[in-house]
Amino acid sequence: MTLRAITVRQPWAGLIVAGIKRFENRGAAVSWRGELAIHAGKRVDAGELARAVGAGHLAPMTALGSILAVAELTDCHLADTTDPTGCCGAFGLEFYNGRRACHLVLENVRQFASPVPCRGQVLLGWPVPADVEMAVRAQLSLMPEEAK
């Protein structure tokens, strides 16, 4: 089975990998669940970086254009627009690109010792190239059993 990935701009990719942010905002829901590679895009969103730092969150941004970790996509739900605090805390958006946001819930995030360089894609759940997936699987195999 081909590993799927999501490209996330920094600082959000770093916050996901650091375990500070446990979901990703998107404009469309997905029905599938399972392993999802976390890919840091090549650009840093300066406005969002300022927002994250202003909220007291600073995560490492060690690599751009690389897969940083693998997580489990365990749920996808629409943002709760009736709760003023948001259903997913400070990082939960009510709307994403003019549409009600979908929150992709990420658990069991496993960060790699060495980021795996790879070109990203806009498509949610894009297939990781076979050679990159081999490098990702090699990193996963080196992790302690309790981290897998």
Side-chain angles (χ1 to χ4, degrees):
M1 183 175 171
T2 301
L3 178 64
R4 296 178 188 207
I6 184 172
T7 297
V8 182
R9 284 189 184 172
Q10 293 287 20
W12 305 126
L15 291 170
I16 289 169
V17 171
I20 297 168
K21 184 178 184 219
R22 294 292 191 185
F23 67 93
E24 175 60 12
N25 298 294
R26 289 296 154 129
V30 295
S31 59
W32 56 271
R33 303 291 180 262
E35 279 189 320
L36 185 64
I38 307 300
H39 177 268
K42 288 190 174 185
R43 292 187 294 170
V44 175
D45 187 323
E48 293 300 316
L49 178 59
R51 180 176 156 221
V53 170
H57 299 290
L58 190 57
M61 291 191 291
T62 56
L64 299 174
S66 297
I67 294 177
L68 306 178
V70 171
E72 297 295 325
L73 174 60
T74 61
D75 189 24
C76 177
H77 61 265
L78 285 172
D80 182 354
T81 58
T82 63
D83 181 358
T85 62
C87 62
C88 288
F91 300 121
L93 297 178
E94 289 184 32
F95 297 94
Y96 186 92
N97 291 337
R99 300 168 63 184
R100 190 168 168 194
C102 293
H103 298 164
L104 308 176
V105 179
L106 305 170
E107 296 180 13
N108 191 25
V109 179
R110 292 151 288 163
Q111 182 178 5
F112 302 143
S114 301
V116 180
C118 179
R119 288 185 66 139
Q121 295 184 26
V122 175
L123 177 69
L124 172 60
W126 52 270
V128 173
D131 60 327
V132 175
E133 183 171 355
M134 284 179 45
V136 165
R137 298 270 179 225
Q139 291 233 21
L140 287 172
S141 71
L142 297 174
M143 291 182 174
E145 196 60 38
E146 61 272 6
K148 293 181 186 178

